[in-house]
Amino acid sequence: MIELNASELKAKVFQSIHRLVEAKELVVKDATVLIGDGSVVDSMKLVELCLALEDIAAEHGFTFDWTSEAAMSRSRSMFRTAGALTEEFIRQARSTSWSS
Amino acid sequence: MVVVTGASRGLGRAIAERCHSQGVEVHGLSRTGGDALFPIHACDVSSPDDVKKVAAALKALGKPLMGLVNAAGVASMNLALTTPPSVVRKIVDTNLLGTIFCCQAFAPLMIRGKKGSIINFSTIAVALGLKGESVYVASKAGIEGFSHAFAREMADFGVRVNCIAPGPIDTDLLKGITPVQIEKIVSRQVVQKKFGPEAVCDLVELLLDDRSASLSGQVVHVGGV
């Protein structure tokens, strides 16, 4: 079973978001909006974020799928906030470790 | 590395073989897989899961993806009124959705390298509004519109997206079209000549090359229209 540290993964997700925002004084929190009104990144940066998370996932031995129906659905989108994205990222990590 | 869909026969096969002959590493996709000088992965482009699996396998190779040629396509020569819904779906699923799913899955591999060229396929039938091809035209007109807008989405990542729109080319897609009908279509081209797969391969080679770096969001008509 792959050892996963949820806190570590959360920190990496938040760091990845922070690297892409223009306002460097921003503190990324669970409620930080990633799509729609008030989003801290544009669509291009969102793609770059997804690629960065793919790489982090690969380092931890799992594949991060950001093109699923849930990811794309506006109402349940994992991109709605940094917290939702982190939750989905950790969920995918855990579902891979349980099946290993 | 270049990915060519529809690589088992017709234009896709010709394009894949041309790229291979130029020393490019080619990975083909086709519904049945197959044998060739290059690997052909079994993949139904209308299935996003199939496409994702192949994209993941190619990503694992760790090589830059420089080109994607979406040559997989089906056609049905029939009036819209007499085309069964299942055939309508198959044409739209394979041609339009297959192109979109492949772009979605493979573009991220190009974005990483901040470079790449995607070539999608339309048809002269769109520009001419050919009778008996309305459903096929619908799927291909969708590809033209998608390619135009997708080109803008990809421009910031250094990836170009263009369409090639062939006239009548000798492949299975010409079955059911009479020589008289073919001649009529050719007579409406600027260069009134029936071109072969080699002409399409020449254009693919050009659009994959850095010398076409100024071209994106365009539809290139074989023979002109």
Side-chain angles (χ1 to χ4, degrees):
Chain A
M1 183 183 291
I2 299 165
E3 291 296 321
L4 291 169
N5 182 325
S7 301
E8 183 189 339
L9 286 181
K10 181 170 180 171
K12 287 187 177 183
V13 172
F14 279 23
Q15 277 164 18
S16 299
I17 295 170
H18 189 260
R19 263 187 224 115
L20 294 169
V21 300
E22 288 197 8
K24 292 302 176 192
E25 68 278 9
L26 175 83
V27 176
V28 178
K29 298 176 184 170
D30 283 348
T32 300
V33 176
L34 299 179
I35 54 170
D37 288 340
S39 64
V40 299
V41 291
D42 61 21
S43 53
M44 193 174 143
K45 294 284 184 210
L46 198 60
V47 172
E48 290 181 42
L49 174 60
C50 291
L51 295 181
L53 294 185
E54 274 188 6
D55 292 342
I56 293 170
E59 286 167 19
H60 288 270
F62 71 98
T63 301
F64 176 53
D65 181 5
W66 46 279
T67 60
S68 64
E69 294 284 347
M72 301 303 182
S73 155
R74 181 59 70 163
S75 59
R76 296 184 296 135
S77 171
M78 64 177 169
F79 297 121
R80 58 191 188 281
T81 63
L85 179 59
T86 304
E87 199 177 301
E88 175 62 19
F89 191 71
I90 293 172
R91 188 197 69 75
Q92 289 192 27
R94 285 188 173 143
S95 74
T96 301
S97 72
W98 286 334
S99 60
S100 295
Chain B
M1 186 168 73
V2 168
V3 168
V4 180
T5 73
S8 61
R9 56 193 176 129
L11 278 182
R13 180 70 176 235
I15 290 163
E17 287 176 349
R18 170 69 74 89
C19 292
H20 178 78
S21 73
Q22 301 291 320
V24 175
E25 179 176 344
V26 176
H27 287 266
L29 271 58
S30 92
R31 275 172 295 183
T32 52
D35 288 320
L37 297 171
F38 45 86
I40 301 182
H41 306 263
C43 175
D44 178 350
V45 296
S46 66
S47 161
D49 288 340
D50 270 17
V51 173
K52 272 192 206 178
K53 271 198 194 101
V54 175
L58 294 185
K59 185 184 169 197
L61 297 178
K63 297 177 189 178
L65 180 65
M66 303 311 297
L68 167 65
V69 182
N70 284 305
V74 294
S76 171
M77 309 306 172
N78 212 344
L79 300 180
L81 292 179
T82 52
T83 304
S86 61
V87 174
V88 173
R89 276 194 206 285
K90 183 158 179 63
I91 292 170
V92 174
D93 280 358
T94 303
N95 296 352
L96 176 57
L97 298 189
T99 295
I100 294 174
F101 293 149
C102 287
C103 286
Q104 285 181 313
F106 291 108
L109 277 69
M110 293 181 182
I111 289 172
R112 287 175 178 284
K114 299 219 183 318
K115 185 178 179 177
S117 174
I118 295 175
I119 300 169
N120 296 326
F121 272 82
S122 181
T123 168
I124 193 174
V126 171
L128 300 183
L130 291 180
K131 179 178 172 182
E133 299 191 33
S134 49
V135 176
Y136 180 61
V137 163
S139 72
K140 293 296 192 175
I143 289 174
E144 287 191 16
F146 167 73
S147 301
H148 193 189
F150 188 55
R152 290 196 191 276
E153 292 173 12
M154 288 295 106
D156 287 339
F157 296 112
V159 176
R160 298 181 293 112
V161 184
N162 291 289
C163 269
I164 292 177
I169 306 278
D170 275 327
T171 68
D172 285 348
L173 261 60
L174 274 199
K175 276 183 195 158
I177 304 186
T178 66
V180 169
Q181 287 170 320
I182 290 172
E183 188 48 46
K184 226 172 151 180
I185 296 169
V186 169
S187 72
R188 296 176 73 180
Q189 292 175 185
V190 173
V191 180
Q192 294 180 20
K193 176 184 160 186
K194 184 163 169 264
F195 290 94
E198 291 305 302
V200 178
C201 291
D202 287 344
L203 290 176
V204 168
E205 227 184 291
L206 172 64
L207 290 174
L208 290 177
D209 192 275
D210 285 344
R211 283 174 292 176
S212 61
S214 62
L215 285 178
S216 195
Q218 303 305 297
V219 179
V220 181
H221 288 274
V222 181
V225 74

Coordinates of all heavy atoms in Angstrom, one line a residue, chain A residues 2 4 9 53-65 88-97:
Chain A
I2 N 0.5 2.2 -0.8 CA 1.3 3.4 -0.9 C 1.0 4.3 0.3 O -0.1 4.5 0.7 CB 0.9 4.2 -2.1 CG1 1.2 3.4 -3.4 CG2 1.7 5.5 -2.2 CD1 0.6 3.9 -4.6
L4 N 0.5 7.5 2.2 CA 0.0 8.8 1.8 C -0.1 9.7 3.0 O -0.7 9.3 4.0 CB -1.3 8.7 1.1 CG -1.3 8.1 -0.3 CD1 -2.7 7.8 -0.7 CD2 -0.6 8.9 -1.3
L9 N 0.1 16.2 1.0 CA -0.5 16.4 -0.3 C -1.3 17.8 -0.4 O -1.2 18.5 -1.4 CB -1.5 15.3 -0.6 CG -0.8 13.9 -1.0 CD1 -1.9 12.9 -1.2 CD2 0.1 14.0 -2.1
L53 N -0.3 19.1 -11.0 CA -0.9 18.1 -10.0 C -0.7 16.7 -10.6 O -0.5 15.7 -9.9 CB -2.4 18.3 -9.8 CG -2.7 19.6 -9.0 CD1 -4.1 19.8 -8.7 CD2 -1.9 19.7 -7.7
E54 N -0.7 16.5 -11.9 CA -0.4 15.2 -12.6 C 1.0 14.8 -12.1 O 1.2 13.6 -11.8 CB -0.4 15.4 -14.1 CG -1.7 15.2 -14.8 CD -1.6 15.1 -16.3 OE1 -0.5 15.1 -16.8 OE2 -2.7 15.1 -16.9
D55 N 1.9 15.8 -12.2 CA 3.3 15.4 -11.8 C 3.5 15.1 -10.4 O 4.2 14.1 -10.0 CB 4.3 16.6 -12.2 CG 4.4 16.9 -13.7 OD1 4.1 16.0 -14.4 OD2 4.8 18.0 -14.0
I56 N 2.8 15.8 -9.5 CA 2.8 15.5 -8.1 C 2.2 14.1 -7.8 O 2.8 13.3 -7.1 CB 2.1 16.6 -7.3 CG1 2.8 17.9 -7.3 CG2 1.9 16.1 -5.8 CD1 2.0 19.1 -6.8
A57 N 1.1 13.8 -8.5 CA 0.5 12.5 -8.4 C 1.5 11.4 -8.8 O 1.6 10.4 -8.1 CB -0.8 12.4 -9.2
A58 N 2.1 11.6 -9.9 CA 3.1 10.6 -10.4 C 4.2 10.4 -9.4 O 4.6 9.2 -9.2 CB 3.7 11.1 -11.7
E59 N 4.7 11.4 -8.7 CA 5.7 11.3 -7.7 C 5.2 10.4 -6.6 O 6.0 9.7 -5.9 CB 6.1 12.6 -7.1 CG 6.9 13.5 -8.0 CD 7.0 15.0 -7.4 OE1 6.7 15.2 -6.2 OE2 7.3 15.9 -8.2
H60 N 3.9 10.5 -6.3 CA 3.3 9.7 -5.2 C 2.7 8.4 -5.7 O 2.0 7.7 -4.9 CB 2.3 10.5 -4.5 CG 2.9 11.6 -3.7 ND1 3.3 11.5 -2.3 CD2 3.2 12.9 -4.0 CE1 3.8 12.6 -1.9 NE2 3.8 13.5 -2.8
G61 N 3.0 8.0 -6.9 CA 2.6 6.7 -7.4 C 1.1 6.5 -7.8 O 0.6 5.4 -7.9
F62 N 0.4 7.6 -8.2 CA -0.9 7.5 -8.7 C -1.2 8.5 -9.8 O -0.3 9.3 -10.1 CB -2.0 7.7 -7.6 CG -2.1 9.1 -7.1 CD1 -3.1 9.9 -7.5 CD2 -1.3 9.6 -6.1 CE1 -3.3 11.2 -7.0 CE2 -1.4 10.9 -5.6 CZ -2.4 11.7 -6.1
T63 N -2.2 8.2 -10.6 CA -2.6 9.1 -11.7 C -3.7 10.0 -11.3 O -4.7 9.6 -10.8 CB -3.1 8.2 -12.9 OG1 -2.0 7.3 -13.3 CG2 -3.4 9.1 -14.1
F64 N -3.5 11.3 -11.6 CA -4.6 12.3 -11.3 C -5.4 12.5 -12.5 O -4.9 13.0 -13.5 CB -3.9 13.6 -10.8 CG -4.9 14.7 -10.5 CD1 -6.0 14.4 -9.7 CD2 -4.8 15.9 -11.1 CE1 -7.0 15.4 -9.4 CE2 -5.7 16.9 -10.8 CZ -6.8 16.7 -10.0
D65 N -6.7 12.1 -12.5 CA -7.6 12.3 -13.6 C -8.4 13.6 -13.4 O -9.3 13.6 -12.6 CB -8.5 11.1 -13.7 CG -9.4 11.2 -14.9 OD1 -9.3 12.2 -15.7 OD2 -10.3 10.4 -15.1
E88 N -10.6 16.1 -3.7 CA -10.6 15.1 -4.8 C -9.2 14.5 -5.1 O -9.1 13.3 -5.4 CB -11.2 15.8 -6.1 CG -11.2 15.0 -7.4 CD -12.0 13.7 -7.3 OE1 -12.9 13.7 -6.4 OE2 -11.8 12.8 -8.1
F89 N -8.2 15.3 -5.0 CA -6.8 14.9 -5.2 C -6.5 13.8 -4.2 O -6.0 12.7 -4.6 CB -5.9 16.1 -5.1 CG -4.5 15.8 -5.5 CD1 -4.2 15.6 -6.9 CD2 -3.4 15.7 -4.6 CE1 -2.9 15.4 -7.3 CE2 -2.1 15.5 -5.1 CZ -1.9 15.3 -6.4
I90 N -6.8 14.0 -3.0 CA -6.5 13.0 -1.9 C -7.4 11.8 -2.1 O -7.0 10.6 -1.9 CB -6.7 13.6 -0.5 CG1 -5.6 14.7 -0.3 CG2 -6.6 12.5 0.6 CD1 -5.8 15.5 1.0
R91 N -8.6 12.0 -2.6 CA -9.5 10.8 -2.8 C -9.0 9.9 -3.9 O -9.0 8.7 -3.7 CB -10.9 11.3 -3.2 CG -12.0 10.2 -3.3 CD -13.2 10.7 -4.1 NE -13.0 10.8 -5.5 CZ -12.8 9.8 -6.3 NH1 -12.9 8.6 -5.9 NH2 -12.6 10.0 -7.6
Q92 N -8.5 10.5 -5.0 CA -7.9 9.7 -6.0 C -6.7 9.0 -5.6 O -6.4 7.9 -6.0 CB -7.6 10.6 -7.3 CG -8.9 11.1 -8.0 CD -8.6 11.7 -9.3 OE1 -7.6 11.4 -10.0 NE2 -9.5 12.6 -9.8
A93 N -5.9 9.7 -4.8 CA -4.7 9.1 -4.2 C -5.0 7.8 -3.4 O -4.4 6.8 -3.5 CB -3.9 10.1 -3.4
R94 N -6.0 8.0 -2.6 CA -6.4 6.9 -1.7 C -7.0 5.8 -2.4 O -6.8 4.6 -2.1 CB -7.4 7.4 -0.6 CG -6.7 8.2 0.5 CD -7.6 8.6 1.6 NE -6.8 9.2 2.7 CZ -7.2 10.2 3.4 NH1 -8.4 10.7 3.3 NH2 -6.4 10.7 4.3
S95 N -7.8 6.1 -3.5 CA -8.5 5.0 -4.2 C -7.4 4.2 -5.0 O -7.6 3.0 -5.2 CB -9.5 5.5 -5.2 OG -8.9 6.1 -6.3
T96 N -6.3 4.8 -5.3 CA -5.2 4.0 -6.0 C -4.5 3.1 -4.9 O -4.2 2.0 -5.2 CB -4.2 5.0 -6.6 OG1 -4.9 5.7 -7.6 CG2 -3.1 4.2 -7.3
S97 N -4.3 3.7 -3.7 CA -3.5 2.9 -2.7 C -4.4 1.8 -2.2 O -3.8 0.7 -2.0 CB -3.1 3.8 -1.6 OG -4.2 4.2 -0.8

